[in-house]
Amino acid sequence: MHGYGWSRRRFVGLLARSATAAAALPAAACGGPAGTRTPAETPTAARASEGASGRERGASGPGPLLLGTYTSAEGGGKGIGLAEYEPGTGRITGHGLLAEVDDPSYLAVHPDGRTLYAVGEREAGAVTAVRLSDHRVLGSRSTGGAAPCHLSVHPGGRWLFSANYGSGSVAVHPIDASGALGERTHLVTHSTPPPGPGQQGPHAHQVVTAPDGGHVLAVDLGTDTVYTYRLDEDAGTLTEVARAQTRPGAGPRHLTFHPGGRHAYLANELDDTVAVCGYDPGTGRLTVGEAQSTGAGPGTNYPAQLLVTADGAYAFLANRGHDSLARYAVQARGARLRLLGTVPVGGDFPRHIAFSPDGGLLFAANQRSGTVAVFRVGADTGELRPTGEPFPSPVAVCALPL
């Protein structure tokens, strides 16, 4: 990263435009949960919207791009990286740091566009709030667990959820009017069912609000289970209402909803599959379908994260190992995925992918090559075309375009 002399006034202007547009959009987040770990490793210190394309607003002028990394990794970053991208060309220009935060491996923005939240993926897990207008860190709070790897903001803007990978738990924090975080109101630990094959314990990998707004789903790689909770929006507590189990050893990592709200797509990290899930908004019950191909072939591959376009026509999957992006046609109103093929991601180990707010660009953060690749998304075909040379970013594990 370089260019520390970039004008703060210019950045404030960019964020002001982003905040105005974001008021009508869901909370923005990196398109996928964190996880530098391969299945044999143990956690150590070392969307535009959540999984859905924008296309709700047109692109005009450069947009901010926030970058997550591991500060404790060799060759890692110094905190939350700051860049800008050109919507027309996809060209990225680096501008130093937004804020110095330890191991900010996953990022999400408040629905009003004014505050950024970052996990601190360390043994003593934390979540941090940063005011975007002046880059001021508003404080950090303990997640009550180890190695938090994902967070998301409830659509109402009053609650922040985080997933502790190391301890298999989900934390809830209140958000005040300034965007700052209060003390944790709840911590739920996944104690049952027993860990899946080869797992030493639960590993919460994602926590996300369903489109109905009343249910919160937590994906646990260690127990091969997706837990559904009902949120008490006054108390900030979670009550379990349903569970959905995958095949033993599947290692579910990331869940993305179809915009219709009746189906979701699950990336299974350990058995290299995806699954179409049925979802009942009334009960919050998820039904996991049959395992499907990631398009990676016979080699070692760990699927990371799925995105779905806002019109529900196409889905994309990041393949780590095969180092590709798989493209699917979404059929039967979300009930089926048909694999169309894969394209090289232009880097090594694509951990997370995200759409630009207008849905015209797809950003891929390639962890091992330390690059962010950009693709243009064909509006009618979902075809992905690289826009130029990948942008160098130290241990790139999250790229959040606003």
Side-chain angles (χ1 to χ4, degrees), residues 333-359:
R333 298 183 179 181
R336 289 200 299 268
L337 290 179
R338 179 168 62 90
L339 180 64
L340 299 176
T342 64
V343 298
V345 75
D348 187 354
F349 222 63
R351 163 125 154 207
H352 140 252
I353 53 178
F355 291 119
S356 59
D358 67 356

PDB file of all heavy atoms in Angstrom, residues 333-359:
ATOM      1  N   ARG A 333     -36.649 -20.405  -9.954  1.00  0.00           N
ATOM      2  CA  ARG A 333     -36.877 -19.381  -8.928  1.00  0.00           C
ATOM      3  C   ARG A 333     -35.973 -19.563  -7.713  1.00  0.00           C
ATOM      4  O   ARG A 333     -36.367 -19.284  -6.581  1.00  0.00           O
ATOM      5  CB  ARG A 333     -38.339 -19.357  -8.507  1.00  0.00           C
ATOM      6  CG  ARG A 333     -39.299 -18.995  -9.628  1.00  0.00           C
ATOM      7  CD  ARG A 333     -40.720 -18.916  -9.150  1.00  0.00           C
ATOM      8  NE  ARG A 333     -41.636 -18.546 -10.227  1.00  0.00           N
ATOM      9  CZ  ARG A 333     -42.943 -18.391 -10.080  1.00  0.00           C
ATOM     10  NH1 ARG A 333     -43.502 -18.561  -8.871  1.00  0.00           N
ATOM     11  NH2 ARG A 333     -43.708 -18.056 -11.106  1.00  0.00           N
ATOM     12  N   GLY A 334     -34.779 -20.035  -7.967  1.00  0.00           N
ATOM     13  CA  GLY A 334     -33.799 -20.189  -6.896  1.00  0.00           C
ATOM     14  C   GLY A 334     -33.610 -21.604  -6.408  1.00  0.00           C
ATOM     15  O   GLY A 334     -32.694 -21.869  -5.638  1.00  0.00           O
ATOM     16  N   ALA A 335     -34.428 -22.538  -6.873  1.00  0.00           N
ATOM     17  CA  ALA A 335     -34.396 -23.901  -6.351  1.00  0.00           C
ATOM     18  C   ALA A 335     -33.306 -24.772  -6.965  1.00  0.00           C
ATOM     19  O   ALA A 335     -33.038 -25.867  -6.459  1.00  0.00           O
ATOM     20  CB  ALA A 335     -35.753 -24.572  -6.567  1.00  0.00           C
ATOM     21  N   ARG A 336     -32.666 -24.306  -8.048  1.00  0.00           N
ATOM     22  CA  ARG A 336     -31.626 -25.112  -8.688  1.00  0.00           C
ATOM     23  C   ARG A 336     -30.435 -24.253  -9.094  1.00  0.00           C
ATOM     24  O   ARG A 336     -30.600 -23.081  -9.468  1.00  0.00           O
ATOM     25  CB  ARG A 336     -32.172 -25.815  -9.937  1.00  0.00           C
ATOM     26  CG  ARG A 336     -33.149 -26.934  -9.660  1.00  0.00           C
ATOM     27  CD  ARG A 336     -33.248 -27.883 -10.859  1.00  0.00           C
ATOM     28  NE  ARG A 336     -33.719 -27.205 -12.047  1.00  0.00           N
ATOM     29  CZ  ARG A 336     -34.997 -27.116 -12.414  1.00  0.00           C
ATOM     30  NH1 ARG A 336     -35.929 -27.663 -11.668  1.00  0.00           N
ATOM     31  NH2 ARG A 336     -35.337 -26.488 -13.529  1.00  0.00           N
ATOM     32  N   LEU A 337     -29.254 -24.858  -9.045  1.00  0.00           N
ATOM     33  CA  LEU A 337     -28.038 -24.263  -9.574  1.00  0.00           C
ATOM     34  C   LEU A 337     -27.523 -25.154 -10.697  1.00  0.00           C
ATOM     35  O   LEU A 337     -27.423 -26.366 -10.534  1.00  0.00           O
ATOM     36  CB  LEU A 337     -26.950 -24.149  -8.497  1.00  0.00           C
ATOM     37  CG  LEU A 337     -27.134 -23.145  -7.363  1.00  0.00           C
ATOM     38  CD1 LEU A 337     -25.944 -23.221  -6.408  1.00  0.00           C
ATOM     39  CD2 LEU A 337     -27.294 -21.734  -7.894  1.00  0.00           C
ATOM     40  N   ARG A 338     -27.166 -24.534 -11.824  1.00  0.00           N
ATOM     41  CA  ARG A 338     -26.577 -25.284 -12.938  1.00  0.00           C
ATOM     42  C   ARG A 338     -25.193 -24.715 -13.208  1.00  0.00           C
ATOM     43  O   ARG A 338     -25.050 -23.538 -13.547  1.00  0.00           O
ATOM     44  CB  ARG A 338     -27.451 -25.182 -14.187  1.00  0.00           C
ATOM     45  CG  ARG A 338     -26.876 -25.932 -15.407  1.00  0.00           C
ATOM     46  CD  ARG A 338     -27.902 -26.045 -16.519  1.00  0.00           C
ATOM     47  NE  ARG A 338     -28.317 -24.749 -17.024  1.00  0.00           N
ATOM     48  CZ  ARG A 338     -27.726 -24.110 -18.029  1.00  0.00           C
ATOM     49  NH1 ARG A 338     -26.651 -24.644 -18.619  1.00  0.00           N
ATOM     50  NH2 ARG A 338     -28.171 -22.931 -18.449  1.00  0.00           N
ATOM     51  N   LEU A 339     -24.174 -25.547 -13.043  1.00  0.00           N
ATOM     52  CA  LEU A 339     -22.798 -25.111 -13.237  1.00  0.00           C
ATOM     53  C   LEU A 339     -22.550 -24.789 -14.703  1.00  0.00           C
ATOM     54  O   LEU A 339     -22.759 -25.622 -15.580  1.00  0.00           O
ATOM     55  CB  LEU A 339     -21.833 -26.203 -12.768  1.00  0.00           C
ATOM     56  CG  LEU A 339     -20.342 -25.905 -12.896  1.00  0.00           C
ATOM     57  CD1 LEU A 339     -19.939 -24.732 -12.007  1.00  0.00           C
ATOM     58  CD2 LEU A 339     -19.519 -27.147 -12.539  1.00  0.00           C
ATOM     59  N   LEU A 340     -22.077 -23.563 -14.967  1.00  0.00           N
ATOM     60  CA  LEU A 340     -21.786 -23.127 -16.335  1.00  0.00           C
ATOM     61  C   LEU A 340     -20.305 -23.235 -16.671  1.00  0.00           C
ATOM     62  O   LEU A 340     -19.941 -23.268 -17.855  1.00  0.00           O
ATOM     63  CB  LEU A 340     -22.256 -21.686 -16.538  1.00  0.00           C
ATOM     64  CG  LEU A 340     -23.751 -21.428 -16.365  1.00  0.00           C
ATOM     65  CD1 LEU A 340     -24.050 -19.945 -16.493  1.00  0.00           C
ATOM     66  CD2 LEU A 340     -24.564 -22.226 -17.369  1.00  0.00           C
ATOM     67  N   GLY A 341     -19.444 -23.260 -15.666  1.00  0.00           N
ATOM     68  CA  GLY A 341     -18.014 -23.342 -15.904  1.00  0.00           C
ATOM     69  C   GLY A 341     -17.244 -22.524 -14.895  1.00  0.00           C
ATOM     70  O   GLY A 341     -17.804 -21.968 -13.941  1.00  0.00           O
ATOM     71  N   THR A 342     -15.927 -22.462 -15.087  1.00  0.00           N
ATOM     72  CA  THR A 342     -15.054 -21.712 -14.201  1.00  0.00           C
ATOM     73  C   THR A 342     -14.127 -20.820 -15.016  1.00  0.00           C
ATOM     74  O   THR A 342     -13.887 -21.071 -16.200  1.00  0.00           O
ATOM     75  CB  THR A 342     -14.188 -22.651 -13.332  1.00  0.00           C
ATOM     76  OG1 THR A 342     -13.321 -23.406 -14.173  1.00  0.00           O
ATOM     77  CG2 THR A 342     -15.055 -23.595 -12.508  1.00  0.00           C
ATOM     78  N   VAL A 343     -13.614 -19.778 -14.366  1.00  0.00           N
ATOM     79  CA  VAL A 343     -12.584 -18.915 -14.966  1.00  0.00           C
ATOM     80  C   VAL A 343     -11.451 -18.770 -13.962  1.00  0.00           C
ATOM     81  O   VAL A 343     -11.689 -18.749 -12.746  1.00  0.00           O
ATOM     82  CB  VAL A 343     -13.136 -17.526 -15.351  1.00  0.00           C
ATOM     83  CG1 VAL A 343     -14.230 -17.650 -16.395  1.00  0.00           C
ATOM     84  CG2 VAL A 343     -13.648 -16.789 -14.117  1.00  0.00           C
ATOM     85  N   PRO A 344     -10.199 -18.674 -14.415  1.00  0.00           N
ATOM     86  CA  PRO A 344      -9.086 -18.459 -13.477  1.00  0.00           C
ATOM     87  C   PRO A 344      -9.272 -17.148 -12.719  1.00  0.00           C
ATOM     88  O   PRO A 344      -9.692 -16.136 -13.285  1.00  0.00           O
ATOM     89  CB  PRO A 344      -7.862 -18.398 -14.389  1.00  0.00           C
ATOM     90  CG  PRO A 344      -8.277 -19.099 -15.642  1.00  0.00           C
ATOM     91  CD  PRO A 344      -9.731 -18.804 -15.805  1.00  0.00           C
ATOM     92  N   VAL A 345      -8.935 -17.165 -11.425  1.00  0.00           N
ATOM     93  CA  VAL A 345      -9.149 -15.983 -10.604  1.00  0.00           C
ATOM     94  C   VAL A 345      -8.016 -14.977 -10.732  1.00  0.00           C
ATOM     95  O   VAL A 345      -8.130 -13.836 -10.261  1.00  0.00           O
ATOM     96  CB  VAL A 345      -9.359 -16.391  -9.131  1.00  0.00           C
ATOM     97  CG1 VAL A 345      -8.039 -16.798  -8.484  1.00  0.00           C
ATOM     98  CG2 VAL A 345     -10.053 -15.288  -8.334  1.00  0.00           C
ATOM     99  N   GLY A 346      -6.921 -15.373 -11.358  1.00  0.00           N
ATOM    100  CA  GLY A 346      -5.818 -14.427 -11.528  1.00  0.00           C
ATOM    101  C   GLY A 346      -5.003 -14.215 -10.278  1.00  0.00           C
ATOM    102  O   GLY A 346      -4.355 -13.176 -10.118  1.00  0.00           O
ATOM    103  N   GLY A 347      -5.010 -15.198  -9.372  1.00  0.00           N
ATOM    104  CA  GLY A 347      -4.244 -15.110  -8.135  1.00  0.00           C
ATOM    105  C   GLY A 347      -4.249 -16.447  -7.435  1.00  0.00           C
ATOM    106  O   GLY A 347      -4.731 -17.454  -7.964  1.00  0.00           O
ATOM    107  N   ASP A 348      -3.747 -16.459  -6.200  1.00  0.00           N
ATOM    108  CA  ASP A 348      -3.600 -17.688  -5.437  1.00  0.00           C
ATOM    109  C   ASP A 348      -4.459 -17.633  -4.182  1.00  0.00           C
ATOM    110  O   ASP A 348      -4.319 -16.741  -3.354  1.00  0.00           O
ATOM    111  CB  ASP A 348      -2.120 -17.855  -5.067  1.00  0.00           C
ATOM    112  CG  ASP A 348      -1.812 -19.200  -4.415  1.00  0.00           C
ATOM    113  OD1 ASP A 348      -2.749 -19.966  -4.143  1.00  0.00           O
ATOM    114  OD2 ASP A 348      -0.621 -19.467  -4.173  1.00  0.00           O
ATOM    115  N   PHE A 349      -5.380 -18.589  -4.057  1.00  0.00           N
ATOM    116  CA  PHE A 349      -6.209 -18.783  -2.869  1.00  0.00           C
ATOM    117  C   PHE A 349      -7.225 -17.647  -2.673  1.00  0.00           C
ATOM    118  O   PHE A 349      -7.141 -16.851  -1.735  1.00  0.00           O
ATOM    119  CB  PHE A 349      -5.334 -18.919  -1.622  1.00  0.00           C
ATOM    120  CG  PHE A 349      -5.784 -20.001  -0.672  1.00  0.00           C
ATOM    121  CD1 PHE A 349      -5.788 -21.330  -1.054  1.00  0.00           C
ATOM    122  CD2 PHE A 349      -6.205 -19.689   0.615  1.00  0.00           C
ATOM    123  CE1 PHE A 349      -6.184 -22.329  -0.178  1.00  0.00           C
ATOM    124  CE2 PHE A 349      -6.607 -20.676   1.506  1.00  0.00           C
ATOM    125  CZ  PHE A 349      -6.596 -22.003   1.115  1.00  0.00           C
ATOM    126  N   PRO A 350      -8.235 -17.561  -3.549  1.00  0.00           N
ATOM    127  CA  PRO A 350      -9.256 -16.508  -3.430  1.00  0.00           C
ATOM    128  C   PRO A 350     -10.157 -16.724  -2.224  1.00  0.00           C
ATOM    129  O   PRO A 350     -11.063 -17.537  -2.241  1.00  0.00           O
ATOM    130  CB  PRO A 350     -10.038 -16.645  -4.739  1.00  0.00           C
ATOM    131  CG  PRO A 350      -9.891 -18.084  -5.125  1.00  0.00           C
ATOM    132  CD  PRO A 350      -8.507 -18.464  -4.685  1.00  0.00           C
ATOM    133  N   ARG A 351      -9.905 -15.974  -1.190  1.00  0.00           N
ATOM    134  CA  ARG A 351     -10.611 -16.172   0.075  1.00  0.00           C
ATOM    135  C   ARG A 351     -11.998 -15.534   0.071  1.00  0.00           C
ATOM    136  O   ARG A 351     -12.917 -16.039   0.687  1.00  0.00           O
ATOM    137  CB  ARG A 351      -9.755 -15.570   1.180  1.00  0.00           C
ATOM    138  CG  ARG A 351     -10.492 -15.319   2.448  1.00  0.00           C
ATOM    139  CD  ARG A 351      -9.827 -15.974   3.607  1.00  0.00           C
ATOM    140  NE  ARG A 351     -10.151 -15.253   4.808  1.00  0.00           N
ATOM    141  CZ  ARG A 351      -9.388 -15.227   5.867  1.00  0.00           C
ATOM    142  NH1 ARG A 351      -8.234 -15.842   5.838  1.00  0.00           N
ATOM    143  NH2 ARG A 351      -9.749 -14.609   6.946  1.00  0.00           N
ATOM    144  N   HIS A 352     -12.137 -14.426  -0.580  1.00  0.00           N
ATOM    145  CA  HIS A 352     -13.405 -13.691  -0.496  1.00  0.00           C
ATOM    146  C   HIS A 352     -13.675 -12.957  -1.799  1.00  0.00           C
ATOM    147  O   HIS A 352     -12.755 -12.529  -2.482  1.00  0.00           O
ATOM    148  CB  HIS A 352     -13.335 -12.730   0.689  1.00  0.00           C
ATOM    149  CG  HIS A 352     -13.939 -11.397   0.424  1.00  0.00           C
ATOM    150  ND1 HIS A 352     -13.167 -10.272   0.265  1.00  0.00           N
ATOM    151  CD2 HIS A 352     -15.226 -10.998   0.270  1.00  0.00           C
ATOM    152  CE1 HIS A 352     -13.968  -9.233   0.040  1.00  0.00           C
ATOM    153  NE2 HIS A 352     -15.199  -9.648   0.023  1.00  0.00           N
ATOM    154  N   ILE A 353     -14.946 -12.882  -2.164  1.00  0.00           N
ATOM    155  CA  ILE A 353     -15.361 -12.151  -3.354  1.00  0.00           C
ATOM    156  C   ILE A 353     -16.510 -11.222  -2.986  1.00  0.00           C
ATOM    157  O   ILE A 353     -17.289 -11.497  -2.080  1.00  0.00           O
ATOM    158  CB  ILE A 353     -15.770 -13.091  -4.509  1.00  0.00           C
ATOM    159  CG1 ILE A 353     -16.818 -14.110  -4.045  1.00  0.00           C
ATOM    160  CG2 ILE A 353     -14.542 -13.804  -5.075  1.00  0.00           C
ATOM    161  CD1 ILE A 353     -17.316 -15.047  -5.158  1.00  0.00           C
ATOM    162  N   ALA A 354     -16.596 -10.085  -3.710  1.00  0.00           N
ATOM    163  CA  ALA A 354     -17.648  -9.104  -3.429  1.00  0.00           C
ATOM    164  C   ALA A 354     -17.984  -8.339  -4.697  1.00  0.00           C
ATOM    165  O   ALA A 354     -17.109  -8.097  -5.533  1.00  0.00           O
ATOM    166  CB  ALA A 354     -17.194  -8.127  -2.343  1.00  0.00           C
ATOM    167  N   PHE A 355     -19.232  -7.961  -4.834  1.00  0.00           N
ATOM    168  CA  PHE A 355     -19.680  -7.119  -5.935  1.00  0.00           C
ATOM    169  C   PHE A 355     -19.504  -5.643  -5.586  1.00  0.00           C
ATOM    170  O   PHE A 355     -19.628  -5.248  -4.427  1.00  0.00           O
ATOM    171  CB  PHE A 355     -21.171  -7.337  -6.229  1.00  0.00           C
ATOM    172  CG  PHE A 355     -21.522  -8.663  -6.821  1.00  0.00           C
ATOM    173  CD1 PHE A 355     -22.366  -9.523  -6.148  1.00  0.00           C
ATOM    174  CD2 PHE A 355     -21.046  -9.047  -8.066  1.00  0.00           C
ATOM    175  CE1 PHE A 355     -22.733 -10.739  -6.690  1.00  0.00           C
ATOM    176  CE2 PHE A 355     -21.403 -10.259  -8.623  1.00  0.00           C
ATOM    177  CZ  PHE A 355     -22.243 -11.112  -7.936  1.00  0.00           C
ATOM    178  N   SER A 356     -19.281  -4.832  -6.612  1.00  0.00           N
ATOM    179  CA  SER A 356     -19.416  -3.391  -6.445  1.00  0.00           C
ATOM    180  C   SER A 356     -20.890  -3.073  -6.217  1.00  0.00           C
ATOM    181  O   SER A 356     -21.768  -3.876  -6.544  1.00  0.00           O
ATOM    182  CB  SER A 356     -18.898  -2.663  -7.687  1.00  0.00           C
ATOM    183  OG  SER A 356     -19.620  -3.067  -8.839  1.00  0.00           O
ATOM    184  N   PRO A 357     -21.212  -1.906  -5.630  1.00  0.00           N
ATOM    185  CA  PRO A 357     -22.608  -1.592  -5.337  1.00  0.00           C
ATOM    186  C   PRO A 357     -23.538  -1.647  -6.543  1.00  0.00           C
ATOM    187  O   PRO A 357     -24.721  -1.964  -6.403  1.00  0.00           O
ATOM    188  CB  PRO A 357     -22.538  -0.181  -4.753  1.00  0.00           C
ATOM    189  CG  PRO A 357     -21.191  -0.111  -4.131  1.00  0.00           C
ATOM    190  CD  PRO A 357     -20.303  -0.883  -5.063  1.00  0.00           C
ATOM    191  N   ASP A 358     -23.038  -1.342  -7.749  1.00  0.00           N
ATOM    192  CA  ASP A 358     -23.899  -1.396  -8.925  1.00  0.00           C
ATOM    193  C   ASP A 358     -23.932  -2.781  -9.554  1.00  0.00           C
ATOM    194  O   ASP A 358     -24.637  -3.004 -10.528  1.00  0.00           O
ATOM    195  CB  ASP A 358     -23.480  -0.347  -9.960  1.00  0.00           C
ATOM    196  CG  ASP A 358     -22.118  -0.629 -10.588  1.00  0.00           C
ATOM    197  OD1 ASP A 358     -21.441  -1.599 -10.167  1.00  0.00           O
ATOM    198  OD2 ASP A 358     -21.721   0.125 -11.496  1.00  0.00           O
ATOM    199  N   GLY A 359     -23.189  -3.722  -9.004  1.00  0.00           N
ATOM    200  CA  GLY A 359     -23.192  -5.090  -9.502  1.00  0.00           C
ATOM    201  C   GLY A 359     -22.387  -5.316 -10.750  1.00  0.00           C
ATOM    202  O   GLY A 359     -22.324  -6.440 -11.244  1.00  0.00           O
TER     203      GLY A 359
END
